Amino acid sequence: MDMAVSSVRPLYIPPLSEDQAQSGTLILRDGTTATIRLAQPTDQTAMKAFVERLSPESRRHRFLLADTPPEDLIASLCDSSDPRSRLTLVVTRLLGGTLRIIATGAYLARDVTTAEVVMAVDDAFHGKGLGTLLLERLALLAIRNGFVRLWAVTHADNQAMREVFRESGFELRETRAGGEIQGGEMEVELSLLPTETSVARSEVRDRVATAASLRPFFCPRAVAVVGASRDPASIGYRIVEALVMNRYQGPVYPVNPKAAVIASIRAYPSVKAIPEPVDLAILSVPRDAVLDVVDECAAQGVQALLIITAGFAEVNAEGRTLQDQLVEKVRAYGMRLVGPNCMGLLNTDPKVRLNASFAPVFPPYGRVAMLSQSGAVGLAILRSSTYLNMGLSTFVSVGNKADVSSNDLLQYWEEDPATEVILLYLESFGNPRRFARIARRVSRRKPIVAVKGGRTQAGRRAAGSHTAALAENDAGVDALFHQTGIIRVGTLDEMFALARALGGQPIPSGRRVAILTNAGGPGILCADECEAGGLTVTELSEGTRRLLSGFLPAAASLKNPVDLIASAGPEHYRRAIETVLPAEEVDAAIIIYIPVDISNTEAIAQAIRDGVAGGRAAGAKAKPVLVCWMAEDGRERSLQVGDEQIPTYASPERAAQVLGKAATYGEWRIQPPGVVPDYLDMDFVRIRAACKEAARERGEGWLSVEEVRTVLTAAGLPVPPGGVARTPEEAVEVAGQVGFPVAVKLASRRIVHKTEIGGVRLNLADARAVTQGFAEIRDRVARENQLDAMEGVLVQPMFSEGVEVMVGVTQDPLFGPLMAFGLGGIHVEILRDVCFRVTPLTDRDAGEMVREIKGYRLLEGYRGHPPADVTAIEEVLLRLSRLVEEIHEITELDLNPVFALPPGQGCRIVDARIRVGAVTADSRNSK
Ligand code: COA
């Protein structure tokens, strides 16, 4: 396949899925939320009230109406039954006990490709970005329904509306209206094709609004603890105590109907009785009181709810129903909710000092943010970080993630200047696609380290019963983390080890490491582990060695590892670090110290500090230094040098592992992110029709050989010439067109294992052989009593050269399409030399996939075998990714084998299977 002949452009994928566009939560610019959904006929009264509430000016601007709206206009605005002709979205909020429409936006077809757009926002909600959010969603829904353009008439002086159009980032044309439209009006035309700008703007809006909506959790002006019990052993009491003992910098209001004082603080009988505004309410009331307390909080203007109470979705169906009601209520009020079933959250910023949890520890202030899906793990984390003196910026136990999710918090930390490293303890993903998108972006700025619980079968079962988390495919998680630059670690210990390096040291910009040690053995262990982790321990340059030899004893080894020998004193350490760190051939350093003379220990620690400071002064600013401190107490700590923390580890292997992962991350980060290519020759209309037709006729199942050829051909994939023949004569005719020798194979969607039943005849050199081959295959099928399953035979050319590869797609219940690539035959089946990625694939992902398998050397050419057309393989991967992303009916797909021919000659799909099923709402559309 030739890249040049097919027109390719980057695909800009809007962050919202189509389903999210028509229902869900909007986060407004002020951080409050509102609900969006399609308008229904039952909305007529509310719609009329909404239009009447608009100021006369708004009514004239939006609907070109002077007074009361006519009934038919209201009725048509509440009819979304035929989205190809019209559709209306309404935004609602619970105000004064009634659910009110606060904004609406509609499109109305002008012709098959252009729709007129109108929208209006309640005067009290202007300036909160609602118009932009509505337009973004209307645009997505309009595209889905076949429109390519939106058109609007607006008053030239209606700056707000014109700004909404400009802000969208869509290609825009404004013209002063003439003709039938009276003066002072503008016609606006928006092209709906997502652009780099429209997608980037939409992402920024989401991020900024999400961060604003979470600020009241982390920086509340005042906090109420509802359910602050009189019992000092209770959770409620301990939360009040944690707030006060850790010196929260705002007022704390305990709420308890039965007590006037809790923990020596005046208590209030209800939230409503609190005399001052409260931003954050922490709920530790019994489960059945939660919904009523939420009402009280809303009435008091609380924006953030932290619900500790358990007994919701994690326990049973009744709990899930209650949780659904809770979320609905919280969203209707425009508030946000962390939990339920969580341990709380912390912000160590000295200006805030918020311990909104029942954790008895308060870690030091630092640069690491942490999310835990398990309260108990969270507690362990807080203890460890305090013990290790590892500073945290913020900590959140997310519990059931009923509203605030990992995705929201990632966006908060992306914006948070106090956070430089993000740690995640995850058991499940709410919406992995959104997670992938956000994490990929955040990782470029701040490293994310994640432990994913539920890795083993036993672990998964435990995860399932623990937080109602779903079991997930580990290949999918690995792929997702890899593609998003997330550093995956196996244990919490390793997570902390990494966090201390990433939070305290620069990210390595290369893989060359210098090891300094005062003992040979640990140096060797460290070097081995470095190499195993992909680091290089190369010899130091002549110049560096000469400098070292100037002050080190003659017995010292100047190779790498540099062995300073047991007699090394503080001065040797200091000067060796000062020499090696700035060396051009060094990207990072590991310094190993084994106390030979305990009385020297402090002096050595100081020498390391001074050596690093000296190295930095000599220009080695961006090179990380890790210390292996094999000291008596075995305790891991950090050495402070100015602003910098040098992490110390108890074993040389640990330091090496940490540096290896940090270097892999550093490499990921500096490479360009890659683009998802869009191939303009892919005929999705034809493909969709073929898949839908098959699914309608036969239900869920495999496509016939002919249908497969249709789909692959329409997707621009390299299908070899030939075709399906129903009779021996037809087979001979096709063989004649293809050119001898040919392969003749049983064509059947029902009989899967063709070779096993003798359904494949290769290297047929002439018409006689083809006729005979046809007969033999038919006989074999007849013997199996399966003649009715035979569609004919597939006649193909024979391929004698090239490397056999396989590409497959399966549906992960959570991640959506998961792609696999490997060499064909035993490589995949026995050696499991296969690599996975989640879609959509970028060009970078495709390049990595091909190179990641061990068999890549075969594709590069090996012992007389010519190399393979790797570019063509990459294109197959990218086209397949587009195919399964676009055509949700495809549930499984196998191209096996694909013959990769020599460079420039492309590849050929020799065998393929495609399974289609009914489209269900999958992870692509979950919230
Ligand atoms: N408003 C204010 N206070 C209320 C109230 C309301 N509507 N209803 C009850 N209260 C008060 C009670 O009077 C009581 O105070 P008191 O002891 O001084 O009388 C206090 O709230 C607690 O109520 P109580 O009935 O004693 O509940 P509890 O302490 O046994 O349990 C929870 C409350 C939240 C701790 C419990 O329901 C729970 O969910 N526990 C598990 C929490 C958990 O594990 N979370 C996940 C961690 S990872």
Side-chain angles (χ1 to χ4, degrees):
M1 203 163 16
D2 185 355
M3 232 11 197
V5 296
S6 59
S7 177
V8 190
R9 67 175 174 211
L11 183 74
Y12 298 107
I13 308 167
L16 277 176
S17 75
E18 290 158 356
D19 281 30
Q20 283 171 287
Q22 63 178 31
S23 67
T25 308
L26 297 179
I27 306 178
L28 315 191
R29 207 174 276 154
D30 63 1
T32 62
T33 63
T35 305
I36 189 164
R37 59 172 173 80
L38 290 180
Q40 298 151 2
T42 47
D43 290 321
Q44 287 191 25
T45 316
M47 183 67 87
K48 187 154 183 277
F50 166 71
V51 178
E52 283 171 356
R53 263 199 319 277
L54 291 175
S55 66
E57 197 203 354
S58 290
R59 223 177 300 146
R60 189 178 62 83
H61 268 161
R62 311 295 191 267
F63 295 106
L64 309 176
L65 284 175
D67 48 277
T68 315
E71 295 293 329
D72 58 342
L73 172 74
I74 296 295
S76 70
L77 274 176
C78 295
D79 177 10
S80 305
S81 59
D82 178 12
R84 295 196 66 89
S85 80
R86 61 166 68 242
L87 178 147
T88 305
L89 288 169
V90 288
V91 180
T92 62
R93 172 74 77 78
L94 199 53
L95 293 165
T98 357
L99 202 61
R100 287 215 201 142
I101 295 178
I102 57 167
T104 187
Y107 71 70
L108 178 69
R110 298 187 85 206
D111 55 48
V112 282
T113 54
T114 310
E116 176 173 1
V117 59
V118 280
M119 59 176 78
V121 176
D122 191 308
D123 294 78
F125 285 86
H126 280 184
K128 296 185 196 293
L130 268 170
T132 309
L133 292 171
L134 269 170
L135 181 64
E136 181 180 349
R137 278 155 177 80
L138 281 175
L140 263 172
L141 296 168
I143 289 190
R144 172 155 76 174
N145 289 295
F147 300 100
V148 295
R149 233 169 285 112
L150 285 182
W151 177 92
V153 176
T154 172
H155 286 256
D157 61 356
N158 185 356
Q159 289 303 341
M161 200 61 222
R162 293 175 65 191
E163 187 51 35
V164 163
F165 289 130
R166 281 194 214 114
E167 173 63 18
S168 71
F170 289 118
E171 247 175 65
L172 176 74
R173 221 182 56 215
E174 282 187 316
T175 43
R176 198 161 276 277
E180 73 273 21
I181 298 163
Q182 295 309 299
E185 275 158 0
M186 309 285 295
E187 278 186 71
V188 181
E189 226 177 62
L190 291 180
S191 155
L192 292 180
L193 193 71
T195 62
E196 194 172 3
T197 318
S198 73
V199 168
R201 294 234 169 115
S202 158
E203 286 188 336
V204 169
R205 271 197 298 278
D206 192 33
R207 175 164 89 233
V208 171
T210 302
S213 76
L214 297 189
R215 215 153 280 133
F217 285 99
F218 295 110
C219 309
R221 285 167 301 173
V223 177
V225 182
V226 195
S229 161
R230 287 161 293 180
D231 174 4
S234 72
I235 289 185
Y237 188 98
R238 279 157 58 199
I239 293 173
V240 176
E241 208 172 40
L243 284 162
V244 176
M245 301 284 279
N246 293 297
R247 302 195 299 278
Y248 166 55
Q249 298 293 297
V252 177
Y253 298 104
V255 176
N256 186 325
K258 298 185 196 136
V261 174
I262 296 288
S264 319
I265 307 176
R266 157 129 202 240
Y268 294 84
S270 78
V271 181
K272 280 196 259 186
I274 300 172
E276 280 172 79
V278 168
D279 289 339
L280 171 67
I282 308 167
L283 273 61
S284 68
V285 293
R287 185 188 78 164
D288 293 335
V290 167
L291 289 181
D292 289 341
V293 173
V294 170
D295 287 328
E296 282 183 26
C297 290
Q300 180 69 3
V302 170
Q303 294 171 50
L305 297 167
L306 174 61
I307 304 187
I308 308 289
T309 308
F312 290 88
E314 80 284 6
V315 288
N316 54 23
E318 188 204 342
R320 164 148 297 281
T321 309
L322 198 63
Q323 181 167 313
D324 291 345
Q325 289 167 358
L326 169 66
V327 173
E328 199 182 326
K329 195 180 262 285
V330 167
R331 292 196 172 149
Y333 280 129
M335 302 191 277
R336 299 226 65 184
L337 149 69
V338 168
N341 184 33
C342 74
M343 199 196 67
L345 57 88
L346 281 82
N347 180 2
T348 59
D349 181 344
K351 292 199 282 306
V352 183
R353 291 194 64 90
L354 177 74
N355 184 351
S357 82
F358 53 89
V361 283
F362 195 69
Y365 179 47
R367 300 167 183 162
V368 179
M370 167 94 207
L371 173 155
S372 176
Q373 204 173 331
S374 149
V377 169
L379 202 54
I381 288 164
L382 292 175
R383 283 226 170 84
S384 303
S385 56
T386 310
Y387 170 77
L388 292 169
N389 198 27
M390 183 184 85
L392 289 189
S393 57
T394 38
F395 167 87
V396 186
S397 151
V398 288
N400 292 0
K401 301 196 284 190
D403 174 38
V404 173
S405 65
S406 322
N407 296 339
D408 294 324
L409 286 160
L410 279 180
Q411 301 210 75
Y412 178 82
W413 287 322
E414 182 179 9
E415 291 280 310
D416 178 25
T419 296
E420 280 173 20
V421 181
I422 299 165
L423 309 184
L424 307 175
Y425 172 79
L426 295 175
E427 287 171 358
S428 69
F429 299 93
N431 178 349
R433 292 181 155 250
R434 192 153 170 263
F435 177 84
R437 197 180 172 103
I438 295 171
R440 209 188 274 252
R441 190 183 70 220
V442 177
S443 282
R444 300 196 79 79
R445 283 172 65 185
K446 302 182 181 183
I448 304 174
V449 186
V451 184
K452 165 71 180 61
R455 232 176 149 162
T456 59
Q457 282 300 339
R460 252 182 252 166
R461 271 196 307 278
S465 54
H466 180 60
T467 314
L470 275 166
E472 284 134 34
N473 184 335
D474 218 50
V477 179
D478 262 339
L480 180 79
F481 283 6
H482 178 90
Q483 283 165 274
T484 51
I486 292 183
I487 307 169
R488 185 172 193 176
V489 290
T491 61
L492 290 176
D493 276 353
E494 197 188 349
M495 173 183 256
F496 289 134
L498 258 149
R500 290 190 298 121
L502 297 167
Q505 291 292 301
I507 309 290
S509 56
R511 294 188 164 270
R512 298 165 306 171
V513 54
I515 300 169
L516 305 184
T517 177
N518 64 343
I524 293 168
L525 289 174
C526 185
D528 286 350
E529 195 65 34
C530 281
E531 298 273 350
L535 297 167
T536 49
V537 189
T538 48
E539 274 196 17
L540 297 175
S541 70
E542 258 314 307
T544 310
R545 277 187 284 163
R546 199 171 331 111
L547 288 171
L548 287 170
S549 68
F551 57 88
L552 288 179
S557 164
L558 305 185
K559 294 204 177 111
N560 195 6
V562 179
D563 189 350
L564 308 173
I565 65 172
S567 60
E571 265 312 277
H572 293 122
Y573 265 95
R574 181 183 64 76
R575 293 185 68 181
I577 298 168
E578 271 180 5
T579 308
V580 165
L581 201 56
E584 194 273 325
E585 70 274 21
V586 170
D587 298 313
I590 295 178
I591 297 157
I592 302 171
Y593 174 67
I594 296 157
V596 180
D597 173 1
I598 292 175
S599 64
N600 238 351
T601 303
E602 260 325 304
I604 297 281
Q606 190 53 44
I608 294 176
R609 289 190 191 95
D610 294 344
V612 172
R616 298 275 184 250
K621 296 256 183 302
K623 301 184 183 182
V625 179
L626 279 64
V627 170
C628 166
W629 193 257
M630 298 176 88
E632 334 55 75
D633 61 358
R635 182 169 165 164
E636 306 206 328
R637 56 175 184 170
S638 298
L639 301 175
Q640 177 112 20
V641 189
D643 265 358
E644 182 177 339
Q645 299 269 358
I646 307 170
T648 67
Y649 302 96
S651 83
E653 294 93 332
R654 175 63 97 204
Q657 283 160 5
V658 165
L659 189 61
K661 289 201 169 172
T664 302
Y665 166 70
E667 219 162 58
W668 180 89
R669 190 159 83 156
I670 53 169
Q671 280 168 36
V675 291
V676 177
D678 191 14
Y679 297 92
L680 302 185
D681 61 349
M682 289 180 78
D683 185 350
F684 291 121
V685 174
R686 184 145 164 249
I687 299 170
R688 191 171 284 117
C691 294
K692 278 207 156 105
E693 180 72 20
R696 196 172 52 236
E697 259 177 25
R698 304 189 296 268
E700 205 243 0
W702 298 101
L703 296 185
S704 73
V705 174
E706 260 179 331
E707 288 163 344
V708 168
R709 284 177 69 86
T710 304
V711 168
L712 298 181
T713 310
L717 285 156
V719 177
V724 177
R726 279 168 188 78
T727 62
E729 295 73 27
E730 264 179 44
V732 170
E733 196 187 321
V734 179
Q737 288 158 9
V738 165
F740 292 99
V742 293
V744 171
K745 301 171 179 174
L746 168 64
S748 170
R749 61 186 170 80
R750 301 220 308 261
I751 306 171
V752 177
H753 301 291
K754 294 190 284 282
T755 314
E756 280 83 338
I757 75 153
V760 179
R761 291 284 179 280
L762 301 176
N763 265 322
L764 306 182
D766 53 29
R768 240 193 61 217
V770 169
T771 311
Q772 194 185 337
F774 189 103
E776 283 169 5
I777 291 174
R778 192 170 47 196
D779 286 352
R780 287 298 191 95
V781 178
R783 229 180 294 157
E784 302 279 328
N785 268 336
Q786 300 240 44
L787 256 191
D788 57 339
M790 178 164 169
E791 292 150 23
V793 294
L794 174 64
V795 183
Q796 283 181 332
M798 279 304 298
F799 297 103
S800 51
E801 46 173 356
V803 186
E804 284 184 43
V805 301
M806 67 77 64
V807 187
V809 180
T810 65
Q811 285 290 330
D812 184 283
L814 227 86
F815 296 104
L818 187 65
M819 282 186 76
F821 170 76
L823 294 186
I826 61 156
H827 294 277
V828 179
E829 280 156 29
I830 299 174
L831 305 175
R832 303 234 155 247
D833 184 16
V834 64
C835 121
F836 290 95
R837 291 289 186 274
V838 293
T839 62
L841 237 55
T842 63
D843 49 1
R844 173 174 165 184
D845 293 328
E848 282 181 7
M849 262 183 114
V850 178
R851 283 158 189 82
E852 199 172 295
I853 57 166
K854 294 191 192 75
Y856 177 63
R857 289 181 63 196
L858 282 175
L859 298 172
E860 283 183 301
Y862 184 71
R863 292 208 178 155
H865 288 279
D869 193 336
V870 169
T871 316
I873 301 175
E874 288 170 6
E875 190 175 334
V876 168
L877 293 169
L878 290 166
R879 281 180 182 264
L880 269 189
S881 159
R882 276 293 286 134
L883 174 67
V884 294
E885 280 281 302
E886 196 72 29
I887 310 293
H888 296 194
E889 284 82 2
I890 297 179
T891 54
E892 235 179 302
L893 184 154
D894 256 331
L895 308 185
N896 188 16
V898 178
F899 272 78
L901 304 180
Q905 296 180 36
C907 35
R908 303 286 181 273
I909 300 168
V910 173
D911 218 333
R913 298 197 302 157
I914 299 177
R915 195 178 176 84
V916 294
V919 178
T920 50
D922 65 4
S923 62
R924 306 171 224 233
N925 298 327
S926 71
K927 288 204 305 275

